[in-house]
Amino acid sequence: MTPKRILVLNGHPGQSSLSKSLTASYAEAAQKAGHDVRLHDLGQMSFDMDYGEGGYENPKTLEPDLEAFLADLEWAEHVVLGTPMWWGGVPAKLKGLFDRAFLPGRTFDTRHTNMFGIPKPLLTGKTARVLLTSDTPAFFLRLAYGNALKKLLGRQILGFVGIKPTRYSQFAPASHPDAAKVENWLDQARALGAKAA
């Protein structure tokens, strides 16, 4: 297997979480399999989540943690995101990371658009895996909510900047799983990491 460059982001803002355990397990297994892994932990990153009123013409200066994340995102061939589903979306700090870091000139090009006016994506040639934790079972997320969060992440965020396809592994219900279930989920994350899938 050809080694891959992998960016792993724990998108849970807490100091300890199932998302953190899943991403750590994925990263460790990927490294053991010979892949080049760079791990970012949202809970340890320091930046202003508020995009502010400057617009794309006058954006805030990116903090060092956002610059480091963007550099590793540009470097990576495969992106792994671990996130909980909160109120049908992602945690506010994770959304803030996307708002602040996914900027024109770095992740998409507003000077070149397609026939629908959509900017040219600049992060093409990369794939993604989302390790999604939720209390909503996968079948209910699909039937009741039309996989809204998966569409948001895969199409409107990652896909918009050229990262595709995005594949999902969902772990639910995630609030109070027993130890055996958690270990099974961690084994699934390790298996994905070993294959860089």
Side-chain angles (χ1 to χ4, degrees):
M1 179 189 310
T2 303
K4 281 187 179 178
R5 300 188 304 273
I6 305 173
L7 166 64
V8 179
L9 171 64
N10 166 32
H12 193 296
Q15 296 306 306
S16 63
S17 67
L18 178 56
S19 295
K20 186 169 187 169
S21 298
L22 290 167
T23 52
S25 296
Y26 183 106
E28 181 181 4
Q31 286 176 323
K32 284 183 179 178
H35 301 289
D36 193 353
V37 179
R38 297 182 184 177
L39 180 62
H40 290 258
D41 186 341
L42 186 68
Q44 300 296 320
M45 296 173 73
S46 177
F47 61 91
D48 183 355
M49 299 186 303
D50 184 10
Y51 183 76
E53 300 178 4
Y56 286 151
E57 294 75 25
N58 187 30
K60 293 179 181 178
T61 301
L62 293 181
E63 293 87 345
D65 284 343
L66 291 182
E67 281 288 2
F69 172 76
L70 264 178
D72 286 347
L73 185 62
E74 292 164 341
W75 160 88
E77 297 171 284
H78 187 55
V79 179
V80 177
L81 168 64
T83 182
M85 182 174 78
W86 286 354
W87 293 106
V90 296
K93 189 172 182 181
L94 179 57
K95 180 59 167 58
L97 182 148
F98 294 138
D99 288 347
R100 292 288 317 286
F102 282 23
L103 296 173
R106 293 291 292 272
T107 62
F108 60 94
D109 184 357
T110 55
R111 297 167 303 173
H112 298 91
T113 60
N114 66 17
M115 60 186 292
F116 302 107
I118 297 173
K120 177 183 178 182
L122 296 179
L123 298 179
T124 56
K126 306 173 191 298
T127 56
R129 165 76 58 179
V130 175
L131 306 175
L132 178 64
T133 64
S134 71
D135 283 332
T136 304
F139 78 90
F140 198 78
L141 185 64
R142 181 179 68 255
L143 294 177
Y145 302 120
N147 280 331
L149 178 55
K150 293 181 179 182
K151 291 175 183 175
L152 170 70
L153 286 170
R155 298 179 190 176
Q156 294 177 276
I157 297 176
L158 299 175
F160 187 85
V161 297
I163 302 171
K164 57 186 177 181
T166 297
R167 295 184 172 89
Y168 297 87
S169 297
Q170 189 170 352
F171 306 91
S175 283
H176 303 288
D178 60 41
K181 181 169 282 189
V182 170
E183 191 55 40
N184 177 265
W185 289 346
L186 296 179
D187 283 343
Q188 291 179 49
R190 292 182 191 108
L192 290 168
K195 297 185 294 185

